[in-house]
Amino acid sequence: MARIDEIVGGIYRISTMPKDSPVGFNQFLIDDEHAALIHTGMAPMYEDICNAIRQVLDPARLAYIILLHFEGDECGGMERFMAQARDAQLVGCELSAALNLNSFDFACQGRVIGKRDGAVIDLGRHKLSILETPHVHHWDSMMLWEETTRSLFPADLFIQPGDQPPVIRENLSSAMCELYRHVGIFAHEDPVRRVVDRVERMQPEWVHAMHGGTLTGQVFPRFASALREQPFAFNGKLLGRALASKQVVA
Ligand SMILES: [Fe+2]
Ligand SMILES: [Fe+2]
C-alpha cells in the first residue's frame, strides 16, 4: 500500500515500502494548476500510486510526468500514467530524451520534452528548474529545484535505507554512505561532490529524497558534509553482491 503525505505547500510524498526491500520508493505529486508527478515507481505499483494520487487530484489531469533518470523505479510506470493522463507531457533532461524517451511510442505522439540546465517548467504557483547532473548515478541524471518552497528533488542522492517517516530531522548520513557502498550506484565520488557543492549553495529548505524521507534544511548540511568526507563510490559490490576481484578495477 502506498501512503501519501503533504510535505510542504502542495508537494506530496507518495511512499511504498515493499516487504524485504532495503529501501522504500517515493514519488512526488505537486498539486497545482498544471499538476506534476516526479518519478512513476515500477509498473506493478501503478494502481497503488494512482489511488494515493486520487486522495488529492484526478490522475487523468496530470500535466507533467517528470523522470530524473531512466531506471525502473523512476520510470517503470510511465506508459500507464501517460495512457491515463492523455494531455500529459513526459519530461526528462535533453540527454535522457535523446538516449531513452524518444525510443518510445509517446515520443512519436509528440509527448516527450527534453530540457537543459536552467530551463523552467511553470506549474502555476510552483516553478521547477532543471539541474543537469550527469554521472550523479546515471549519465542522464537530472534534479529539480522548486523556488517557492526552496525544494530540491535529488532523485537517488541524499537517500536513507529502511522505512522512513515523511520528514527526516536526524543525521542518517553515515547509513546513507554505507548504503551507497553496498549497492554501488555511483561510479566515482567526483561528479557527485561537484553537485553537492552546487546544491548546498542553493540553501534548500526541503530535500525530497527518492528513497527514505525528506530532509529538512537544518539536517541537510550534515548529509552534504558526509558526502565530502566519507567514501561512497562503487568498491566492488553490486546490490550487496561482491564481484570477483578480477572484475573490479582497483
Ligand atoms: Fe536510480
Ligand atoms: Fe531511485
Side-chain angles (χ1 to χ4, degrees):
M1 276 294 288
R3 63 176 278 184
I4 183 164
D5 299 89
E6 186 172 14
I7 307 291
V8 57
I11 297 174
Y12 294 80
R13 181 188 82 146
I14 301 165
S15 183
T16 305
M17 185 70 212
K19 196 168 169 289
D20 300 327
S21 171
V23 292
F25 296 87
N26 301 333
Q27 304 77 44
F28 295 95
L29 175 68
I30 305 183
D31 182 15
D32 209 321
E33 180 184 347
H34 306 289
L37 181 68
I38 302 169
H39 319 299
T40 69
M42 294 85 110
M45 296 162 67
Y46 171 78
E47 291 295 345
D48 270 356
I49 296 168
C50 260
N51 286 336
I53 293 172
R54 277 191 199 97
Q55 295 179 40
V56 179
L57 54 86
D58 180 354
R61 83 166 185 82
L62 287 169
Y64 296 104
I65 294 161
I66 308 176
L67 311 175
L68 304 189
H69 55 265
F70 200 79
E71 198 172 41
D73 55 336
E74 280 79 9
C75 62
M78 65 184 177
E79 290 171 289
R80 299 182 72 179
F81 277 104
M82 290 291 282
Q84 170 136 348
R86 302 302 307 173
D87 296 326
Q89 298 285 323
L90 189 67
V91 182
C93 69
E94 190 177 86
L95 187 68
S96 201
L99 294 174
N100 298 310
L101 306 178
N102 284 342
S103 304
F104 287 80
D105 276 346
F106 25 74
C108 307
Q109 301 158 8
R111 300 176 68 196
V112 167
I113 304 175
K115 297 277 193 187
R116 288 189 185 181
D117 198 279
V120 175
I121 304 167
D122 188 347
L123 305 183
R125 286 181 298 122
H126 303 86
K127 321 284 180 200
L128 294 172
S129 301
I130 309 291
L131 283 69
E132 288 180 292
T133 57
H135 299 290
V136 178
H137 185 29
H138 282 276
W139 188 18
D140 67 333
S141 290
M142 70 175 219
M143 298 184 185
L144 291 167
W145 172 255
E146 201 292 302
E147 182 63 41
T148 60
T149 56
R150 303 197 67 75
S151 281
L152 179 72
F153 295 88
D156 292 337
L157 197 57
F158 307 114
I159 67 177
Q160 319 99 49
D163 191 6
Q164 299 294 344
V167 174
I168 299 292
R169 294 187 165 83
E170 62 179 313
N171 182 5
L172 301 173
S173 61
S174 289
M176 167 186 72
C177 291
E178 189 180 333
L179 177 67
Y180 287 152
R181 289 191 296 272
H182 187 73
V183 299
I185 75 166
F186 296 117
H188 199 279
E189 278 98 2
D190 286 357
V192 179
R193 287 178 175 154
R194 280 196 287 274
V195 167
V196 168
D197 289 345
R198 179 182 182 189
V199 298
E200 196 170 35
R201 284 194 299 273
M202 298 164 81
Q203 299 185 310
E205 291 181 10
W206 304 96
V207 177
H208 304 286
M210 192 193 157
H211 308 278
T214 291
L215 309 182
T216 64
Q218 287 72 35
V219 79
F220 165 69
R222 310 289 291 274
F223 285 74
S225 295
L227 289 170
R228 276 193 210 96
E229 293 160 8
Q230 297 183 34
F232 59 85
F234 172 68
N235 66 357
K237 284 187 181 172
L238 288 178
L239 294 178
R241 174 175 58 94
L243 298 179
S245 57
K246 64 185 176 188
Q247 293 175 263
V248 179
V249 178

